[in-house]
Amino acid sequence: MEQAAIERVRLIFTLFDADGSGSLEPEDFDLMATRVVAAAPESGETARAAVLAAFRRYWTTLAAELDVNRDGKITFEEFSALVLSPERFSAALAEFAEALAALGDPDGDGLVERERFVALMTAIGFARPNIDALFDAFQPADDKIAASIWTAGIRDYYSPDKAGIAGDRLVVTPG
């Protein structure tokens, strides 16, 4: 397993812990989902509902697979198992990735503009320099990226055997 994957998971755990309690709980996912949907007012109700559903499924999948002691909370130690067994989350992750990219593509042209990408990634909690570095790594044309590229990038982010991927730019301080 790559150290880069561990660092990616550590960052996403911190971001998913939306209330800063030190563990993941269903309320964290509701809070983040609400922030993400609010960052996309131009997106349709179907796309917004899909993101809310994807966040809920992400939580229920995590809870079912990782909450070892069934206390309704997931610690970092429990969450880090995600890196060891990403196949257990592939369906929930695919749903999440596709819903997020669709939210960023309100006109349905298959492209996500930088402004929308930044708004959604900021709502998740990533830092602006890292967001810009990631967007640029996706090789935008006319300041737009293909929604499918973003979806693939999200899946890569959770791959334990990948390093040097675009998503690593979310972890390191851009120079």
Side-chain angles (χ1 to χ4, degrees), residues 93-164:
L93 183 59
E95 178 183 349
F96 173 78
E98 290 167 17
L100 187 61
L103 194 65
D105 179 21
D107 61 6
D109 66 355
L111 299 172
V112 177
E113 298 170 1
R114 182 183 298 265
E115 180 181 335
R116 287 189 179 98
F117 183 86
V118 169
L120 294 171
M121 295 295 281
T122 300
I124 292 171
F126 293 105
R128 178 64 192 257
N130 298 82
I131 296 167
D132 285 330
L134 175 61
F135 191 85
D136 292 339
F138 288 147
Q139 301 177 342
D142 297 325
D143 227 22
K144 300 175 184 178
I145 59 168
S148 60
I149 296 292
W150 190 11
T151 300
I154 293 169
R155 286 192 305 268
D156 284 350
Y157 190 90
Y158 290 93
S159 297
D161 57 343
K162 294 197 176 185

Side-chain angles (χ1 to χ4, degrees), residues 29-103:
F29 287 78
D30 290 340
L31 180 59
M32 184 178 288
T34 301
R35 287 193 317 231
V36 169
V37 167
E42 67 284 345
S43 295
E45 188 57 37
T46 301
R48 295 160 61 94
V51 165
L52 292 172
F55 269 104
R56 285 187 194 108
R57 179 166 183 208
Y58 202 110
W59 165 254
T60 58
T61 301
L62 289 176
E65 295 287 337
L66 300 179
D67 187 8
V68 177
N69 61 2
R70 299 294 179 225
D71 65 353
K73 299 177 182 181
I74 298 174
T75 65
F76 178 74
E77 292 72 28
E78 290 170 323
F79 188 72
S80 62
L82 174 75
V83 175
L84 301 174
S85 303
E87 66 281 353
R88 293 165 43 189
F89 306 95
S90 61
L93 183 59
E95 178 183 349
F96 173 78
E98 290 167 17
L100 187 61
L103 194 65

